[in-house]
Amino acid sequence: MLSRGAAGWRALRWAGRRPRARGLRASPRAWSAMPSWVIDRYGSNEVLRFTRDMVFPIIHFPNEVIIRVHAASLNPIDLSMRSGYGATALNMKRDPLKLKTEETEFPLTLGRDVSGVVMECGLSVSYFKPGDEVWAAIPPWKQGTLSEFVVASGNEVSFKPKCLSHIEAAALPYVGLTAWSALNQVGGLNKSNCSGKRVLILGASGGVGTFAVQLVKAWGAHVTAVCSHDASTLVKKLGADDVIDYKSGNLEEQLKTLPLFDFILDNVGGSTEKWALDLLKKWSGATYVTLVTPFLINMDKLGVADGMLQTGVTVGSKTLKHLLKGVHYRWAFFMPSGPSLDEIAELVDSGKGIVASDGLMDESCFCRRKAKGQVESPIMKLTDHSL
């Protein structure tokens, strides 16, 4: 089963009772503005502002669709972006040729995950039609999903899993695609080659970690998960074969007592990188993939050119250093992908390795779990505002 288990992050529903679909109105303003949560500058939670006058999204390219948001969710990336993380690189992506007259990204709508209904399609979109229930993860350089409507490219969108409600579905796309990118697109794991491999997941109780545990387990791997004792029961139920409590002693020494691994996914970073690669099988194609990279930080601190140069030198030197030791070292990032979401949706609807949880779903579906003792973020208070 695939689940999002990040403590403190859960799907947000914009309205307890959904209003009827927007119909024709006499006032032109009804089609030019919409409710949205935006920021006008970077900072802490006080920069968030609710408005009913956000510019209504329009289709600029023939492969785009407009989605009416039924549910959205928050991820750590949203809090980081609120504080200005990655602004240099994201602004370059938004306007690479500096063609815009106004050099500002504000007002900026946060939120990456969306589950909703297609309202309008571009001329070249043939895979979707108005009324289709879809889900997606919107790239961070685009306007986000904490609004009534959002625009997405057709290749970023997928049909929502049939067994999930909109609220449940909105909890999965961003973390699911991040894990899929690290494991499949960068790490090369899939259902055909994963059986019997020993996989270590560092930071296994977060959103990406819990998804990764279930994914590689569904592909037949032997999974060793590292998390706190409080999350060990959850991670075990998600399919982990061995669960290591990083607080119970020296983590490096605990892991050295186990057989070597074929693959390591690092959601923690920091000092773990200094010793984690020693746990891989040498000269056997074993791979270490980390999701904690300095790419955006380098560009924020050094600018685009120097930041990219520093990043290239860092990843290149580390890759060569570890390749000479017989292991592969790689960085991974979130990658928006409708086709990957298609595969995730198929796994969700297939019901493999099912454990129902918290009454959210029956046993015909993968489940979304909420860790006990979960602490709610202050930003969750935004759900009190109904659109």
Side-chain angles (χ1 to χ4, degrees):
M1 74 239 113
L2 294 178
S3 153
R4 178 166 182 188
W9 308 104
R10 58 185 174 81
L12 304 179
R13 188 175 182 181
W14 277 113
R17 296 179 180 177
R18 292 300 309 168
R20 292 181 180 178
R22 184 188 291 253
L24 293 176
R25 300 179 185 177
S27 171
R29 183 181 178 281
W31 290 102
S32 62
M34 64 175 178
S36 182
W37 280 99
V38 301
I39 61 173
D40 299 303
R41 67 186 190 280
Y42 296 119
S44 53
N45 273 355
E46 65 268 12
V47 303
L48 287 155
R49 174 174 65 88
F50 176 75
T51 178
R52 292 187 178 275
D53 296 314
M54 186 62 178
V55 176
F56 193 88
I58 61 175
I59 290 176
H60 290 280
F61 301 99
N63 67 330
E64 291 181 331
V65 299
I66 295 178
I67 301 171
R68 180 165 193 149
V69 180
H70 281 236
S73 69
L74 291 171
N75 294 278
I77 184 65
D78 296 304
L79 298 189
S80 299
M81 287 179 62
R82 177 209 61 191
S83 302
Y85 171 74
T88 301
L90 296 177
N91 283 337
M92 182 187 69
K93 180 67 176 178
R94 292 177 183 122
D95 187 18
L97 300 179
K98 301 293 182 183
L99 298 177
K100 294 182 180 178
T101 55
E102 296 182 4
E103 294 184 1
T104 178
E105 62 270 35
F106 303 114
L108 179 64
T109 303
L110 301 176
R112 310 272 56 91
D113 292 311
V114 60
S115 182
V117 174
V118 174
M119 298 298 292
E120 187 177 348
C121 298
L123 294 177
S124 69
V125 176
S126 58
Y127 195 60
F128 302 103
K129 65 182 185 302
D132 286 340
E133 292 190 332
V134 296
W135 65 344
I138 308 300
W141 54 86
K142 295 185 177 181
Q143 289 287 11
T145 62
L146 302 184
S147 58
E148 189 177 13
F149 296 90
V150 67
V151 169
S153 297
N155 57 10
E156 297 165 354
V157 180
S158 170
F159 291 108
K160 178 181 73 67
K162 294 181 176 60
C163 72
L164 300 186
S165 69
H166 284 295
I167 294 177
E168 292 161 346
L172 281 172
Y174 186 81
V175 293
L177 287 175
T178 302
W180 189 276
S181 166
L183 297 169
N184 178 263
Q185 295 176 296
V186 174
L189 298 181
N190 56 59
K191 61 184 178 182
S192 300
N193 66 10
C194 207
S195 180
K197 287 190 175 179
R198 290 182 51 78
V199 175
L200 171 64
I201 299 177
L202 300 167
S205 60
V208 175
T210 51
F211 191 98
V213 167
Q214 297 171 87
L215 183 59
V216 293
K217 189 61 181 177
W219 286 344
H222 180 283
V223 183
T224 299
V226 175
C227 60
S228 66
H229 175 73
D230 293 341
S232 59
T233 301
L234 165 67
V235 174
K236 191 76 173 178
K237 287 183 178 179
L238 294 179
D241 298 284
D242 299 313
V243 179
I244 308 296
D245 176 12
Y246 68 87
K247 295 181 179 180
S248 64
N250 186 291
L251 178 58
E252 180 181 359
E253 296 302 322
Q254 292 185 74
L255 291 172
K256 281 183 177 179
T257 64
L258 302 176
L260 295 175
F261 296 95
D262 299 287
F263 188 94
I264 296 176
L265 174 62
D266 188 356
N267 299 297
V268 178
S271 61
T272 59
E273 187 176 303
K274 296 178 181 178
W275 50 262
L277 285 97
D278 293 331
L279 303 173
L280 290 170
K281 299 175 181 176
K282 303 296 187 293
W283 307 108
S284 64
T287 303
Y288 168 93
V289 176
T290 180
L291 286 162
V292 185
T293 75
F295 174 59
L296 295 181
I297 295 176
N298 283 345
M299 294 187 70
D300 286 337
K301 290 182 177 179
L302 304 175
V304 174
D306 289 345
M308 293 183 70
L309 177 60
Q310 179 63 53
T311 299
V313 170
T314 300
V315 68
S317 61
K318 288 185 176 183
T319 300
L320 181 59
K321 170 187 171 182
H322 293 294
L323 187 60
L324 295 174
K325 294 181 180 180
V327 296
H328 297 285
Y329 174 94
R330 294 172 183 168
W331 288 358
F333 306 90
F334 160 77
M335 297 182 187
S337 172
S340 295
L341 277 177
D342 288 342
E343 295 193 58
I344 293 172
E346 183 179 347
L347 283 170
V348 171
D349 280 331
S350 70
K352 296 178 181 178
I354 304 309
V355 178
S357 173
D358 295 342
L360 289 176
M361 305 181 190
D362 60 30
E363 293 188 355
S364 64
C365 304
F366 284 101
C367 68
R368 170 177 167 267
R369 294 178 174 273
K370 180 177 179 181
K372 293 183 179 179
Q374 177 172 322
V375 178
E376 191 172 66
S377 164
I379 203 169
M380 292 299 141
K381 296 178 181 177
L382 298 178
T383 55
D384 295 337
H385 232 303
S386 173
L387 294 184

